Amino acid sequence: MYPRKFDYYAPKTLSQALQLISEKGEDAKILAGGQSLIPMMKLRLASPAFVVDLNGIKELSYIKSEGGTMKLGSMTRHADIEHSSVVASKAPIMVEAASQIADQQVRNLGTIGGSLCHADPSADWPAVVLALDAELEAKGTVERVIRSKDFFKGPFETALSQAEILTEVRFRIPPAKSGYSYTKFERKAGDFATVGVATQLEMGEDGTVSKARIALTAAGPAPFRAEEAEKLITGQRPTAELVEKAAKAASDASDPAPDLRGSAEYKKDMARVFTKRSIRSALERAGVSI
Amino acid sequence: MVSVVETRRQNQELTVGKPLKRAEDPRFVVGAARFVDDIKLQGTLYATFVRSPYPHARIKSIDVSKALKSSGVYLVLTARDLAGKIGEMPTVEGDKRAKPTRRHVLAFEESRYEGEAVAMVVAEDMYVAADAAELVEVEWEPLPSVTDPEKALNDQSPVAGLDRPDNVAYRYTFETPGFKDAFSAADTVIEARLVNQRVAPSPMETRSVLAVYEPGIDLLTVYISHQDPFAARDAIASILGRPKPSVRIISPDVGGAFGSKISIYPEDAAVSYAAVLLRRPVKWIESRRENLMTTTHGRGQIQLVKAAVKKDGRVLALDIRIIADSGAYTTDGSVYTPKITPEMASGNYDIRGIKAELVCALTNKVPQDAYRGAGRPEATFLIERMMNLIARELKIDPVELRLKNFVRKDMFPYKNASGRFTYDIGDYEGGLKKATKVVSYDRLREDQARALSQGRLIGVGVASYVEVCGFGPNYPQTASVTVTEDGKVIINSGTHPHGQGHHTPFAQVVSDELGVDVSDVYFNHGDTSSLPYGTVTAGSRSGPVGGSAVLLAARKIRKKMETVARKLLGVDGEIQFRDGKIIPLMSPEKTMTFREVAEACYNPSKLPQDMEPTLYEYAAYAPAANTFPAGTHVAVVEVDRETGSVRLLKYVAVDDIGRVLNPLVAEGQVHGGVVQGLGQALLEAVSYGQDGQLLTSTLSEYLLPTACEAPQMIWERTETYTASNLLGVKGVGETGAIASTPAVANAVEDALFLIGKHAESMPLTPEYTWSILKADPHHH
Ligand SMILES: Cc1cc2nc3c(=O)[nH]c(=O)nc-3n(C[C@H](O)[C@H](O)[C@H](O)COP(=O)(O)OP(=O)(O)OC[C@H]3O[C@@H](n4cnc5c(N)ncnc54)[C@H](O)[C@@H]3O)c2cc1C
């Protein structure tokens, strides 16, 4: 459990970091919380020649609520989000998700940016940012904004290029009459999800669902929005039957890989069960009983 | 009766029995304990091992030249370098039915399980060692392999080891005289196939060795995370061909063992040899991955059981076939552990006939050894899972069924069905009744019915157990007690603590004997140079056997101090040791302090003629017989019908562990054991893929229960005092792990019974339970 040799850089600013990764090219890896990268290096599954540590860059760690938009620096720790009162009041789904990631030690170090860039197909944050329809800001030679929907490409694969650093996660703060839920199914506390479902709903004045975003993790090669399910409930007055149908649609859209957490058949059924539970809980929080 | 009571004076308040906090906890809690890796010696080199990536392979050649050339590398060893220099690993001893296998310290020509060490690299630091290990080139020829012990016994099976073509490590059969008659008198025979899966003991501290050789005095000191320092000394001395006095073992704080640190491993021998060769300290700390792959596993049995029963629920006889998974080599642990299972398979019940066949199969996996309970959990699992099925089949309440079959209070001493063990004393009915009362059993059954009418599945699992502990009389345990001139006391214990918490209960025993404060009693352990002899910490024997040795040594101290006090004070008659004072009962005004008498013992002029100065006593205690803790645990679960997840709602444990030295320490042992046992029921399984590759090589694949999975346990006791040892103590280290696995499995199955299903194997993972739920066509 000892990594191969590597050179270590600790830039103080984002521009220094960008310069380093463009200079070092393919052999460089960014180090954020290290909770995914370091275990891989210790198992020698990853052996970067250069490690560029972002932990000294203060400008990447913040939580801001500005004019209806929530902004989180990519180096914001899971634990910072879990315990932020701003996040709790503006985007409680993030608190609910953060508290279910790994254990306290991992949450103290792991970052939201690291989790999104690592793009583990079972990670929790990807489903949450999809449900929030977040925008992800990346800096390289140029700055660009990537919609969360377009960010996740496959297992451990994102839209970022090697010379880019994810800098910010931002999204429109959900309106008052909304419901949310991050529902995670795990075999034991601290486990990666067998399936995770993030639901963010907005209710219209007439008691119908005016907007629905439902995203699943650990249910396919990459996290995804269950668009069929979203369509089924949008514009409708929610009923138990409708929720069941939406859950079925999400399950149909899933394509989980079999592993020690379960067979594909089991995971598909759990995608159904937990989508149902997630929507129901979001509805309940929006004050709707079905 | 029990002699510890006799020695106490009427008006003396006893320390034994008080829930004192464990003396060692602060250092563990703040991270100040001293494990092997905390010991830093100048000039230390670091070892790492090149391991087989195959379950079974021929080693055609090993080229170490590139590794040897790396800068910072001091030594690379393979089996060829060791040939003729050191011996081989111990195989099995004592029982002709066991078939020995040859096991080299580093695999020679053939490697038999994934992770088996084939070469060792020693370097200036771990990074250099790990890099060099990658440069060792091994030419492998993969061989057919077998990991399923049942398949290993088929004629067509690949062989697990080329020297044992039948894949049999051990075959053990017996049939009691009345078996045939008892079996044929049955109204019905209930059959089951029960799978007790392989699990990994997973101590927090992995295996660790630091070997230091001092050529001037020809002494090899081995710091090792171990549970039996004297046996470690003997094994290392034997493999290295050294006299025992030239090997010293120090097992400092050890972070858990659970049976996996009873034996000596290849790495221990290789590291020790390297230290002698290089004349430098050599350290090896096992990684978690290595621990899951190469440290012994436990349980691993397939049990085929036929129970002959009467319609009224009387169990007459058992016909058992057990296939135990020995792993790649025949070792003492891999055959003698499962041997206990058929011998204890009749559990708490008055079952007269038993026929048993145990076959230990060789497979391409790391060998098995003892794991918390060692053979008895498997026995309890067998009979308690059967009782659940019998109750179901005969439509008798599982509590009723047990009461009907228990060995009654008036039947002790009771020779059990196998005839191998005689239970000395117990009250099984009392324990069960207490457990059902505490858990409100009747109300639970009502709740269960009500929940079912709402579509919810609640299950109530009962498991009674009796186990065997102590393991004497041919296996003495030792202790010494020293009183220093300042009146402080040092216990030196032959039994080694690694989580059990020996210090405080032993100090309580000494405190009552010598009238000193518990905080004045110091505790040393784990150094073979500090006692003449010692035996293993296993089989919950530290309390009954080790504790009795401590008491014996303390008694000798007391006797000497009494003699000295009488002489100094010029008094006769009874003398009391209390509150740090030595009080002649006839003339209490002449009281001396404990310290004054201790000081006098170091001054020859104050001692009676012929008395040796100083105050040190050694005792070795061989118990008269084994002990038999017993009890009943009840688990209540809810099974989620959609996901198959199991939620533990309630857990009640009622144990008879004899006299309790310290209820807080005892409860901690039970609680830890219960959590470990429910880990097996719900989460843990060492699994191998089709190709024989280990799938569970990290803790994100191998699931251990944590505080979040631990139940709120209610612990109650019943007490019957055994006369098998001086303290009346039965042992408590393993009860929890023995009872909780079947209690939880029975609870889940009890819930499944509601919809006409049952479970065969463990762990009862959500998917497994879900698949059972789903397979049922008659969902209510
Ligand atoms: C025991 C354990 C349990 C866990 N359980 C869970 C769980 O239940 N759910 C869950 O979601 N996660 C879990 N994780 C993963 C954890 O959340 C990690 O923190 C996270 O996946 C990675 O974040 P990090 O900040 O540690 O990133 P690092 O490990 O430092 O980096 C991860 C990868 O992302 C790249 N990267 C990091 N930051 C950036 C950036 N700003 N721009 C571009 N590339 C970047 C790195 O180069 C690297 O390739 C667990 C981890 C452990 C060790």
Side-chain angles (χ1 to χ4, degrees):
Chain A
M1 303 287 277
Y2 290 81
R4 294 199 183 89
K5 200 167 171 173
F6 58 90
D7 287 348
Y8 171 81
Y9 296 90
K12 287 277 171 275
T13 64
L14 182 60
S15 54
Q16 285 171 358
L18 285 168
Q19 191 174 344
L20 275 165
I21 57 167
S22 87
E23 258 170 38
K24 305 295 177 195
E26 286 298 312
D27 290 337
K29 264 276 176 205
I30 286 163
L31 175 70
Q35 298 305 293
S36 296
L37 183 59
I38 289 182
M40 291 201 312
M41 288 171 66
K42 287 173 81 170
L43 289 167
R44 300 193 165 202
L45 297 172
S47 298
F50 308 99
V51 169
V52 179
D53 184 353
L54 301 188
N55 284 277
I57 304 175
K58 298 283 169 293
E59 63 196 282
L60 287 178
S61 179
Y62 53 86
I63 296 172
K64 287 186 255 184
S65 156
E66 281 176 3
T69 301
M70 189 74 191
K71 299 178 174 176
L72 296 102
S74 61
M75 283 298 289
T76 308
R77 316 275 169 189
H78 308 329
D80 294 337
I81 299 171
E82 181 185 3
H83 300 294
S84 155
S85 54
V86 179
V87 179
S89 68
K90 309 283 183 193
I93 190 172
M94 294 192 97
V95 174
E96 185 164 54
S99 67
Q100 294 181 69
I101 299 173
D103 49 45
Q104 195 62 59
Q105 289 95 321
V106 171
R107 296 203 288 273
N108 284 343
L109 282 168
T111 65
I112 185 166
S115 174
L116 296 175
C117 295
H118 188 57
D120 185 311
S122 305
D124 297 304
W125 283 131
V128 176
V129 298
L130 283 171
L132 289 166
D133 199 16
E135 291 178 343
L136 307 175
E137 180 195 88
K139 291 202 173 122
T141 41
V142 292
E143 178 177 322
R144 62 181 181 130
V145 173
I146 309 163
R147 263 189 87 181
S148 49
K149 256 178 90 165
D150 305 322
F151 188 77
F152 304 103
K153 298 291 184 196
F156 307 99
E157 214 188 305
T158 69
L160 283 189
S161 78
Q162 194 278 327
E164 284 179 309
I165 290 178
L166 180 72
T167 50
E168 186 174 275
V169 177
R170 58 177 177 245
F171 53 88
R172 185 180 65 94
I173 293 169
K177 265 197 93 134
S178 49
Y180 68 91
S181 172
Y182 183 66
T183 315
K184 179 176 179 176
F185 183 39
E186 51 187 14
R187 296 169 301 172
K188 62 172 256 195
D191 191 20
F192 270 98
T194 301
V195 63
V197 185
T199 305
Q200 192 72 48
L201 301 175
E202 291 171 26
M203 300 303 297
E205 291 303 325
D206 59 354
T208 60
V209 176
S210 59
K211 193 170 267 178
R213 284 189 300 261
I214 301 165
L216 278 72
T217 190
F224 64 93
R225 287 262 299 268
E227 287 171 9
E228 274 310 309
E230 294 173 357
K231 268 189 219 140
L232 276 166
I233 57 173
T234 307
Q236 305 291 320
R237 229 172 253 284
T239 62
E241 209 185 353
L242 196 60
V243 172
E244 193 67 64
K245 261 197 192 146
K248 175 76 172 45
S251 167
D252 289 344
S254 71
D255 179 19
D259 59 18
L260 287 174
R261 286 186 180 77
S263 63
E265 187 200 0
Y266 178 64
K267 288 181 171 185
K268 259 184 118 64
D269 196 39
M270 292 309 103
R272 178 186 64 79
V273 172
F274 285 86
T275 303
K276 178 178 75 180
R277 292 183 183 183
S278 187
I279 298 173
R280 291 184 80 113
S281 138
L283 284 169
E284 205 169 288
R285 282 163 172 169
V288 181
S289 57
I290 57 168
Chain B
M1 230 209 86
V2 177
S3 28
V4 71
V5 181
E6 293 163 12
T7 62
R8 284 186 193 121
R9 306 303 167 262
Q10 306 263 296
N11 55 353
Q12 187 176 333
E13 200 199 334
L14 295 184
T15 312
V16 160
K18 283 192 182 162
L20 304 184
K21 285 190 184 163
R22 310 198 315 173
E24 62 272 49
D25 285 348
R27 75 171 184 274
F28 287 120
V29 171
V30 305
R34 189 166 159 269
F35 299 105
V36 170
D37 204 20
D38 294 313
I39 298 167
K40 315 275 184 205
L41 300 177
Q42 225 186 352
T44 297
L45 301 174
Y46 297 82
T48 198
F49 290 86
V50 178
R51 299 182 179 281
S52 171
Y54 297 105
H56 194 193
R58 206 186 294 279
I59 303 162
K60 298 183 76 178
S61 69
I62 306 180
D63 181 355
V64 303
S65 55
K66 283 195 195 122
L68 257 177
K69 274 188 217 125
S70 311
S71 101
V73 170
Y74 282 72
L75 182 69
V76 183
L77 289 179
T78 67
R80 290 193 191 280
D81 304 305
L82 300 179
K85 302 274 174 33
I86 66 174
E88 296 175 10
M89 296 303 294
T91 172
V92 70
E93 264 176 43
D95 189 331
K96 290 277 175 291
R97 291 162 294 205
K99 305 293 175 213
T101 50
R102 283 186 73 184
R103 184 185 191 185
H104 296 264
V105 168
L106 294 170
F108 176 65
E109 292 182 347
E110 180 193 10
S111 78
R112 300 192 185 186
Y113 61 93
E114 187 187 357
E116 185 165 18
V118 298
M120 176 176 67
V121 176
V122 181
E124 65 188 14
D125 67 38
M126 275 311 303
Y127 295 88
V128 173
D131 288 347
E134 287 190 330
L135 300 175
V136 172
E137 286 167 6
V138 185
E139 197 186 336
W140 302 99
E141 179 194 326
L143 294 172
S145 66
V146 57
T147 51
D148 178 335
E150 256 175 331
K151 289 197 181 128
L153 298 177
N154 291 343
D155 290 342
Q156 312 330 318
S157 170
V159 294
L162 298 175
D163 65 350
R164 286 240 67 83
D166 61 353
N167 289 336
V168 173
Y170 187 56
R171 196 182 290 274
Y172 173 55
T173 54
F174 63 82
E175 180 180 323
T176 59
F179 170 77
K180 279 195 186 74
D181 290 344
F183 205 89
S184 57
D187 293 327
T188 172
V189 172
I190 294 168
E191 279 186 60
R193 179 180 188 276
L194 303 165
V195 181
N196 201 319
Q197 81 276 28
R198 242 187 199 240
V199 289
S202 307
M204 292 254 268
E205 185 203 16
T206 54
R207 290 189 284 131
S208 314
V209 206
L210 167 61
V212 192
Y213 179 63
E214 292 162 274
I217 50 172
D218 187 30
L219 179 69
L220 171 68
T221 301
V222 185
Y223 299 86
I224 180 167
S225 181
H226 208 267
Q227 56 192 96
D228 191 356
F230 284 87
R233 178 194 67 183
D234 296 353
I236 288 177
S238 153
I239 297 169
L240 265 58
R242 305 183 61 84
K244 290 179 185 179
S246 77
V247 179
R248 177 184 178 190
I249 299 289
I250 299 178
S251 290
D253 281 331
V254 169
F258 310 111
S260 72
K261 294 174 184 170
I262 289 179
S263 57
I264 275 293
Y265 286 82
E267 293 88 347
D268 308 333
V271 166
S272 299
Y273 176 68
V276 176
L277 202 67
L278 295 167
R279 303 190 169 196
R280 291 270 296 265
V282 180
K283 190 184 254 188
W284 174 68
I285 307 293
E286 184 186 45
S287 69
R288 181 58 62 187
R289 195 176 137 78
E290 288 175 306
N291 184 265
L292 287 166
M293 203 172 249
T294 68
T295 290
T296 55
H297 297 150
R299 305 282 187 266
Q301 288 187 7
I302 295 156
Q303 307 172 331
L304 307 161
V305 191
K306 291 183 192 141
V309 297
K310 282 289 201 196
K311 271 205 288 287
D312 68 357
R314 280 284 300 148
V315 182
L316 304 177
L318 297 174
D319 183 346
I320 304 169
R321 178 171 153 83
I322 298 173
I323 296 155
D325 179 357
S326 274
Y329 294 99
T330 311
T331 61
D332 280 349
S334 76
V335 300
Y336 297 142
T337 299
K339 178 169 183 276
I340 299 175
T341 302
E343 296 177 345
M344 286 297 287
S346 57
N348 309 55
Y349 310 107
D350 183 26
I351 298 172
R352 287 326 312 169
I354 187 162
K355 179 178 159 203
E357 179 184 26
L358 165 70
V359 187
C360 296
L362 291 166
T363 56
N364 294 107
K365 302 192 273 193
V366 68
Q368 291 216 112
D369 205 314
Y371 170 52
R372 202 169 188 171
R376 295 101 77 207
E378 298 87 328
T380 302
F381 177 80
L382 184 156
I383 187 65
E384 290 307 299
R385 297 284 292 115
M386 284 311 291
M387 292 309 265
N388 223 38
L389 292 168
I390 295 167
R392 170 71 183 172
E393 190 73 24
L394 301 180
K395 300 191 167 53
I396 299 177
D397 183 276
V399 168
E400 275 302 313
L401 181 74
R402 285 176 172 80
L403 289 172
K404 197 166 272 184
N405 285 287
F406 273 157
V407 174
R408 290 189 319 274
K409 238 168 120 170
D410 57 15
M411 290 163 80
F412 294 102
Y414 176 85
K415 189 178 249 201
N416 80 356
S418 72
R420 303 303 197 271
F421 290 106
T422 300
Y423 308 161
D424 61 338
I425 190 168
D427 176 9
Y428 305 153
E429 184 179 329
L432 176 62
K433 287 192 165 156
K434 191 161 189 175
T436 52
K437 184 159 169 254
V438 173
V439 80
S440 308
Y441 187 78
D442 295 336
R443 220 182 52 224
L444 269 179
R445 290 292 181 197
E446 290 164 26
D447 293 349
Q448 181 182 36
R450 201 170 319 114
L452 183 64
S453 69
Q454 300 158 359
R456 289 166 52 216
L457 300 182
I458 290 193
V460 183
V462 180
S464 298
Y465 73 91
V466 56
E467 57 139 340
V468 47
C469 292
F471 297 103
N474 297 325
Y475 221 27
Q477 195 50 283
T478 62
S480 73
V481 172
T482 307
V483 181
T484 45
E485 287 171 85
D486 57 359
K488 309 285 184 196
V489 182
I490 305 165
I491 299 172
N492 226 312
S493 161
T495 164
H496 182 284
H498 28 271
Q500 298 87 347
H502 293 17
H503 184 158
T504 306
F506 285 4
Q508 287 172 269
V509 168
V510 168
S511 164
D512 284 344
E513 197 59 25
L514 301 181
V516 293
D517 198 87
V518 168
S519 65
D520 285 335
V521 183
Y522 292 71
F523 183 77
N524 293 334
H525 64 264
D527 185 343
T528 56
S529 73
S530 68
L531 281 173
Y533 183 68
T535 50
V536 66
T537 298
S540 301
R541 56 200 302 274
S542 292
V545 192
S548 293
V550 169
L551 176 64
L552 266 186
R555 276 191 191 158
K556 291 185 188 175
I557 292 280
R558 181 183 171 118
K559 193 159 167 246
K560 181 164 180 176
M561 292 181 85
E562 274 179 13
T563 312
V564 173
R566 283 204 186 92
K567 172 174 186 250
L568 292 174
L569 302 172
V571 296
D572 285 328
E574 199 172 337
I575 293 196
Q576 202 173 53
F577 284 58
R578 200 176 76 195
D579 303 333
K581 297 193 194 73
I582 290 181
I583 309 161
L585 280 191
M586 295 314 195
S587 33
E589 72 288 354
K590 291 191 173 171
T591 293
M592 285 179 81
T593 65
F594 183 81
R595 181 184 174 149
E596 285 165 341
V597 178
E599 234 168 40
C601 288
Y602 284 80
N603 184 343
S605 68
K606 295 197 173 165
L607 299 180
Q609 235 181 353
D610 297 335
M611 184 179 269
E612 287 176 28
T614 75
L615 203 44
Y616 165 85
E617 295 291 352
Y618 167 74
Y621 179 74
N626 294 324
T627 60
F628 297 89
T632 294
H633 290 203
V634 184
V636 185
V637 302
E638 175 159 3
V639 176
D640 184 323
R641 297 185 76 158
E642 282 186 314
T643 65
S645 303
V646 172
R647 196 157 59 96
L648 204 53
L649 304 175
K650 210 172 195 183
Y651 197 95
V652 170
V654 176
D655 298 302
D656 175 358
I657 55 171
R659 180 181 306 286
V660 177
L661 301 178
N662 178 322
L664 193 61
V665 172
E667 185 171 358
Q669 287 296 298
V670 175
H671 194 235
V674 164
V675 175
Q676 214 161 7
L678 75 85
Q680 183 181 16
L682 299 177
L683 295 167
E684 297 179 44
V686 175
S687 29
Y688 292 84
Q690 289 295 335
D691 51 2
Q693 229 85 30
L694 180 67
L695 301 175
T696 44
S697 67
T698 77
L699 291 183
S700 49
E701 286 113 20
Y702 188 83
L703 297 191
L704 291 173
T706 65
C708 300
E709 283 71 43
Q712 287 285 340
M713 178 185 80
I714 300 170
W715 189 51
E716 296 274 349
R717 281 181 280 122
T718 59
E719 272 184 26
T720 58
Y721 297 148
T722 176
S724 299
N725 59 69
L726 301 179
L727 292 165
V729 164
K730 292 185 181 176
V732 66
E734 295 154 301
T735 59
I738 288 170
S740 73
T741 309
V744 172
N746 282 350
V748 175
E749 193 173 59
D750 189 63
L752 296 174
F753 282 159
L754 298 171
I755 52 163
K757 301 302 290 183
H758 84 104
E760 178 177 285
S761 61
M762 295 183 297
L764 291 145
T765 61
E767 180 171 13
Y768 177 49
T769 313
W770 172 85
S771 67
I772 298 170
L773 289 166
K774 224 176 64 115
D776 177 37
H778 320 289
H779 261 216
H780 293 265

